Amino acid sequence: MALGERESERERLAGLVGGIRDRGGALVVRGEAGIGKSTLLAEIEAPGVRTLTAVGVEAEHRLPYAGLHQLLFPLRNAIDALPKTQREALGTALGLADGPRPEIYLVGMAVLNLLAEAASTEPLLLIVDDAHWLDPNSQDVLAFVARRLESEPIALVAAVRDGEPSRLATANLPTIELGPLSDEAARELLKDVPPSARERVLKAARGNPLALKELFRGDPSTSVEQTFANRVRKLPPETRRFLLIAAVNDTNELGEALDAAKADLVALGPALDEHLVTIAHGTLTFRHPLLRSAIVKDAEPRERHQAHQALADTITEPDRRIWHRAAATTGPDEEIAAELERSAERTERRGGIDATVTSLEWAAKLTHDPVKRAERLLKAAGAAVETGNRELVDRLLDQASAEDLTSNQRAVIRWLPTNFDDGLRGDVSGPGDLADLAIGVLEDGKTDLAMQILWGAAMRCFWAEPGQDDRRRLIRAADLMPLDRHDPRLVAINAYVTPFERSQSVLTELTTLAGQLNRDALVDRFLGSAAMLIGAFDLAARFSAGAQPGFRTQGRLAFLARALGVQAWSSVRLGDLATAMTAAEEGLRLAIETSQPYIHGLTLATQAEIAAMRGDFAQAESLAAQAERVGLSAGARPVLATVQLARGIAALGEGRHADAFANLMRLHDPADPAYQLALRCYTIAELTEAAVRCDQLGVVREMMQEFEMQAMRSPSPALHSGLRHARAALAPDAEAEKLFRAALDAETWPLERSRTQLAYGEWLRRQRRPADSRPQLRAARETFEALGVTAWAERARRELRAAGEASPDQHDDAFSDLTPHELNIARLAAEGLTNREIGQRLYLSHRTVSTHLHRIFPKLGITSRTELREVLGP
């Protein structure tokens, strides 16, 4: 058989389906049109497995969740059994209920649980052909689900066409690439074709199976699409008209096409006889998607307009009807434009952002009034920001820029591009310019827009360094905002822009807000970032943790990734490595999933710092290098600062003190990309330790003068903690002991206290006071071991041995053998959460949680979840 050389691909598919009861997974089949993807999918054999199918249709691409509706239709009755928030989100997405706009990841979790429940009684096989033509929402949800099928008896196989954008194709899923048939196989397929025609077809088809089959029917010098068009032209006029209506329709419903064409099955007969279409169960299917597109392209514009109008006259569903009316329109029409705008509002409520953008752009094209046209283009651009498609936003803004705009509209055009990559694109306005823009918008009475502009500009002060002039302009704008000075947004802006000058008021506000109940998740995220920037790491971890339940419930995984990133960074500084490890691991996964390079880099760098503190220096450098690549490409200073901090800690642990000093000094050079105004001030203890051991005291003492000046106007807990440590470490012997004791009396953070105890103990031993040094070193060792900071614990053990005291054998902490992901699951189980509750929190199915727990138990030497609390602690 000519297609017999596809055996390796068939074997991969058979392996996926055959092992479905033990392990699920996903597979993407890629290739050009006609290469045999559909044939391969049709040959999948799955005895004892329930199969759900969906086929992408180009005309349905703008219908939000249309593909998902098609795939899940057989399971629709089971939706009611889902948890309330998921049930409502999925019901709204599928148009089965009316509710608030559903978050895409909450819909994804609902679908995962729906499929997992169905698969608990019978394995599931999901087959999606022409997945590139599914609507974007359905593609996003299936990509989300596909990444979480490892432990489920569910397999997903999706076919996508080369050259067509597909979110499944870019989801890093296992892929089969179908190439052309060999010359031998192609000749076998054409063995009944006369030799004179065979060579021409072989040359034209280039191994494409569909082309081989079709081109010998017509002129081999034409394309497959043109061959299809030529065959359709030979059909009777009423058949051609029906096929055109069916081709431009956004469903495959046979009855709807017949009604629109005012035809019956007799008109369809010639197309059936030519095997161009098939009908079954009220559905019309074209032989191949290229046939459908060939019919549309070959028709005259007037014929296409008439076909759309015929459908508009038949369809009753508002959104579909107005899209066909718009497609039938040749010039400006305010009535249709207004209805398209209302359609955009309806699709936006269902979460169909791509369809919203399309409708608004279409409405703008049909708008005669330039003022309304600009408004609709800007609304489309604003919605397009949520798609993450920069080119689309730029194109819409370019169109809007050609209109006669108001000052506020021009402000929106300058501001919208800053929503990408936290405003760090090289071609967008700087923070100072945006601050002035916010003031201008405020003067026009648009407070909300002014605050949006100002917030985005202020946030850039974290990732980049705008300079003092821009910082002053930002604060001037913030002070002009007619908001309560206790407004969390202003508190956060003050922290971002002036982390030292206004840190007293910021810390006061943060402390007050921390005592309030029922804060919004977004507010907590702002406050967590603000606390981190002023060095209040305990508050930063608290606010960031407080934001997470709301984001999890709402399915706002992009914001959740940011909250986890701040929690992880702050928890490391507090020495809470267990929390930092799990937060960084989950934050990293979600940052990748939600395409946030800055949080991706920050969580990687945080993981590098954790590895350095745990003594895994090779892993620390590997993670630091990965994070550095992300940070350099993005120009993200906090990422690069954390990379150098991790390298400095690792170098200290390995005794490479000069290297540690060089790494840490990069944080303090304004010309270095690792310089970050606030974060540099929270690594004073590490810098001092490196300087003491490589004879760089003069450099550090000079820098301490600057930090002391900062401390006079800032109550930053981290800044003052570092300075107390540095004062003692740098002091002459006659003053050191008093300063070490003062530092210990003032320190409340366990990690910083134990580090000061270690430094004090080392100093006492150098003063030939071993008996006095041992209590300090012992306390430091015990705290480090409890925190899991094994690198520093080992250093304390060495100092104790030198002081004449042996330490008990060091045991690995309870979580040393667990991956961060496993640790997260284990800790939640130890808190008493059920598998389902853990799954809801981590956006995993409960079966996946169960599989992880069965791997975790042997690593911890236990046999049940009841023992987890004893091993890991409460």
Side-chain angles (χ1 to χ4, degrees):
M1 181 180 177
L3 296 183
E5 59 188 53
R6 303 285 199 212
E7 284 309 311
S8 62
E9 288 85 355
R10 290 191 182 92
E11 288 175 4
R12 284 191 67 183
L13 285 169
L16 175 66
V17 177
I20 194 172
R21 287 175 173 81
D22 300 319
R23 179 185 177 91
L27 194 59
V28 174
V29 180
R30 290 185 59 94
E32 65 181 26
I35 204 67
K37 302 183 296 296
S38 299
T39 300
L40 197 62
L41 264 59
E43 292 178 352
I44 297 176
E45 296 182 359
V49 175
R50 184 180 185 183
T51 301
L52 304 178
T53 62
V55 179
V57 178
E58 188 174 14
E60 291 185 2
H61 191 72
R62 62 176 175 267
L63 296 173
Y65 295 106
L68 203 61
H69 192 287
Q70 183 186 162
L71 185 71
L72 300 180
F73 189 75
L75 305 180
R76 63 193 181 282
N77 293 333
I79 294 176
D80 289 341
L82 291 171
K84 183 175 183 293
T85 56
Q86 295 178 23
R87 180 176 68 247
E88 292 175 346
L90 183 55
T92 302
L94 298 180
L96 305 176
D98 188 16
R101 172 181 159 182
E103 290 289 337
I104 192 76
Y105 298 109
L106 191 57
V107 176
M109 192 63 204
V111 172
L112 179 62
N113 279 330
L114 184 70
L115 294 172
E117 286 302 316
S120 65
T121 57
E122 187 178 21
L124 282 181
L125 172 63
L126 314 177
I127 299 180
V128 183
D129 202 359
D130 290 324
H132 50 278
W133 278 336
L134 292 179
D135 60 278
N137 296 73
S138 294
Q139 291 191 46
D140 282 338
V141 169
L142 289 177
F144 174 94
V145 170
R147 287 188 285 264
R148 290 163 171 80
L149 293 181
E150 179 182 348
S151 301
E152 302 295 335
I154 304 172
L156 168 66
V157 181
V160 298
R161 181 186 296 180
D162 285 343
E164 296 283 352
S166 169
R167 298 178 188 186
L168 279 167
T170 57
N172 295 320
L173 301 174
T175 301
I176 291 176
E177 295 277 356
L178 290 187
L181 296 179
S182 66
D183 185 66
E184 180 183 359
R187 289 181 179 277
E188 172 66 18
L189 198 64
L190 296 179
K191 63 183 180 181
D192 296 329
V193 178
S196 59
R198 185 186 307 153
E199 295 304 317
R200 294 197 305 271
V201 173
L202 285 171
K203 183 178 180 180
R206 299 193 300 275
N208 184 292
L210 179 66
L212 288 165
K213 290 179 180 179
E214 293 298 327
L215 291 182
F216 78 85
R217 297 172 183 254
D219 183 355
S221 65
T222 64
S223 67
V224 175
E225 199 169 39
Q226 188 59 51
T227 298
F228 278 137
N230 292 338
R231 291 177 64 188
V232 171
R233 286 177 193 161
K234 298 175 182 178
L235 299 175
E238 63 272 15
T239 305
R240 294 201 308 270
R241 181 172 182 272
F242 170 81
L243 289 178
L244 178 57
I245 288 173
V248 301
N249 195 10
D250 45 5
T251 76
N252 289 326
E253 292 184 18
L254 174 61
E256 189 170 81
L258 288 171
D259 289 345
K262 294 181 172 56
D264 54 27
L265 290 177
V266 174
L268 187 55
L272 292 170
D273 294 340
E274 285 292 313
H275 305 292
L276 295 174
V277 295
T278 58
I279 56 174
H281 309 296
T283 298
L284 181 142
T285 303
F286 286 90
R287 177 178 178 181
H288 192 275
L290 283 178
L291 171 59
R292 190 171 196 150
S293 60
I295 292 170
V296 176
K297 290 179 182 177
D298 195 54
E300 296 292 332
R302 175 183 55 81
E303 294 173 325
R304 289 196 295 270
H305 293 155
Q306 290 173 346
H308 281 294
Q309 187 60 56
L311 285 164
D313 293 340
T314 302
I315 294 169
T316 59
E317 184 182 340
D319 292 327
R320 293 181 57 223
R321 184 180 67 244
I322 191 57
W323 289 332
H324 285 293
R325 283 188 67 194
T329 302
T330 58
D333 188 314
E334 179 56 31
E335 178 189 349
I336 293 178
E339 184 56 40
L340 279 169
E341 189 169 16
R342 288 190 288 271
S343 175
E345 293 170 357
R346 290 191 293 270
T347 55
E348 194 275 338
R349 287 197 296 271
R350 289 183 57 194
I353 300 302
D354 294 83
T356 299
V357 175
T358 299
S359 293
L360 287 169
E361 184 177 14
W362 210 346
K365 289 179 180 178
L366 298 179
T367 302
H368 184 270
D369 181 355
V371 175
K372 284 186 177 180
R373 185 164 58 245
E375 289 176 357
R376 286 164 176 161
L377 284 169
L378 290 179
K379 285 177 69 174
V385 167
E386 295 191 49
T387 70
N389 188 333
R390 299 180 187 178
E391 293 182 1
L392 175 59
V393 172
D394 289 342
R395 177 169 61 77
L396 291 166
L397 292 179
D398 286 344
Q399 293 178 43
S401 298
E403 306 294 343
D404 186 12
L405 304 175
T406 67
S407 59
N408 282 334
Q409 288 174 329
R410 286 193 294 273
V412 170
I413 286 179
R414 291 177 59 188
W415 163 65
L416 276 179
T418 69
N419 284 273
F420 291 105
D421 297 336
D422 288 317
L424 296 187
R425 294 175 64 189
D427 57 346
V428 300
S429 299
D433 292 337
L434 289 173
D436 295 342
L437 181 63
I439 293 172
V441 171
L442 179 66
E443 290 171 348
D444 286 343
K446 303 288 186 180
T447 303
D448 287 344
L449 177 58
M451 276 301 296
Q452 288 178 331
I453 294 171
L454 183 60
W455 170 254
M459 193 160 49
R460 291 166 67 181
C461 295
F462 176 65
W463 296 109
E465 177 47 54
Q468 288 303 314
D469 179 64
D470 275 5
R471 288 179 183 271
R472 283 190 290 269
R473 292 162 73 183
L474 285 164
I475 282 301
R476 174 174 173 266
D479 289 344
L480 290 173
M481 292 296 149
L483 300 175
D484 189 308
R485 294 298 98 184
H486 305 295
D487 188 298
R489 292 172 295 176
L490 287 180
V491 173
I493 287 172
N494 281 327
Y496 273 119
V497 182
T498 54
F500 300 108
E501 294 87 339
R502 297 192 175 186
S503 60
Q504 178 64 69
S505 63
V506 171
L507 185 58
T508 300
E509 295 293 347
L510 290 174
T511 304
T512 301
L513 288 165
Q516 297 178 359
L517 301 176
N518 302 320
R519 291 183 305 271
D520 181 81
L522 272 177
V523 170
D524 271 356
R525 186 178 80 79
F526 296 157
L527 298 179
S529 299
M532 185 175 81
L533 281 161
I534 67 163
F537 300 140
D538 50 351
L539 288 174
R542 179 175 173 181
F543 282 123
S544 299
Q548 293 170 33
F551 290 147
R552 293 184 194 280
T553 300
Q554 299 159 11
R556 305 174 80 173
L557 299 194
F559 286 142
L560 177 58
R562 289 174 175 256
L564 286 162
V566 172
Q567 182 190 29
W569 201 98
S570 301
S571 295
V572 174
R573 298 281 81 199
L574 293 171
D576 185 359
L577 297 196
T579 295
M581 287 170 63
T582 57
E585 186 277 334
E586 187 182 4
L588 175 62
R589 283 191 294 109
L590 295 180
I592 294 172
E593 188 153 44
T594 56
S595 302
Q596 297 186 90
Y598 301 113
I599 302 301
H600 177 187
L602 189 63
T603 48
L604 271 175
T606 302
Q607 288 182 330
E609 187 182 358
I610 294 169
M613 294 174 73
R614 289 174 60 80
D616 191 345
F617 303 126
Q619 176 72 353
E621 177 51 37
S622 174
L623 290 165
Q626 295 176 53
E628 187 172 47
R629 286 193 291 273
V630 176
L632 284 172
S633 64
R637 290 180 180 270
V639 174
L640 299 173
T642 308
V643 164
Q644 296 310 317
L645 174 58
R647 285 176 170 157
I649 292 172
L652 284 172
E654 294 180 293
R656 296 184 289 108
H657 301 120
D659 289 342
F661 183 77
N663 286 322
L664 293 166
M665 279 297 294
R666 288 189 56 185
L667 276 73
H668 303 279
D669 179 1
D672 195 289
Y675 176 89
Q676 210 285 340
L677 181 66
L679 301 188
R680 64 185 278 267
C681 299
Y682 309 142
T683 61
I684 296 173
E686 288 87 354
L687 181 66
T688 303
E689 183 181 331
V692 167
R693 285 166 171 74
C694 67
D695 197 24
Q696 293 287 347
L697 296 183
V699 175
V700 174
R701 284 194 175 107
E702 185 175 336
M703 292 177 62
M704 287 307 117
Q705 296 178 17
E706 175 196 349
F707 293 135
E708 293 286 4
M709 292 292 293
Q710 296 280 33
M712 292 177 64
R713 55 180 176 169
S714 169
S716 166
L719 174 61
H720 284 272
S721 175
L723 281 173
R724 287 192 295 266
H725 184 103
R727 290 181 195 124
L730 297 173
D733 287 343
E735 301 175 20
E737 184 160 19
K738 178 180 68 173
L739 292 172
F740 271 122
R741 290 192 174 278
L744 289 174
D745 289 342
E747 191 57 70
T748 58
W749 293 347
L751 179 64
E752 298 306 318
R753 179 175 176 79
S754 58
R755 188 153 63 177
T756 301
Q757 287 173 324
L758 174 58
Y760 184 25
E762 290 172 332
W763 180 85
L764 287 168
R765 192 178 67 78
R766 290 197 301 272
Q767 299 300 310
R768 302 182 185 279
R769 296 166 57 185
D772 291 335
S773 74
R774 288 194 287 268
Q776 301 297 331
L777 295 171
R778 191 184 311 121
R781 183 205 68 204
E782 291 171 352
T783 302
F784 289 143
E785 289 179 348
L787 295 174
V789 186
T790 51
W792 293 350
E794 180 56 33
R795 183 171 136 200
R797 294 165 71 85
R798 289 196 302 268
E799 288 291 331
L800 266 174
R801 283 196 297 273
E805 180 178 310
S807 298
D809 291 340
Q810 185 172 2
H811 298 287
D812 289 336
D813 50 66
F815 51 81
S816 60
D817 291 332
L818 303 183
T819 67
H821 189 46
E822 289 172 337
L823 176 60
N824 204 4
I825 291 172
R827 294 181 76 192
L828 293 172
E831 293 175 14
L833 274 68
T834 66
N835 289 357
R836 288 185 183 277
E837 290 169 337
I838 296 171
Q840 304 305 326
R841 182 174 295 195
L842 299 182
Y843 277 70
L844 303 169
S845 74
H846 64 86
R847 188 186 298 270
T848 298
V849 173
S850 176
T851 299
H852 279 296
L853 284 173
H854 280 91
R855 294 173 184 163
I856 290 167
F857 292 162
K859 291 184 177 183
L860 296 179
I862 61 177
T863 58
S864 70
R865 63 191 299 142
T866 57
E867 300 173 77
L868 278 172
R869 184 179 292 271
E870 296 178 11
V871 174
L872 297 179

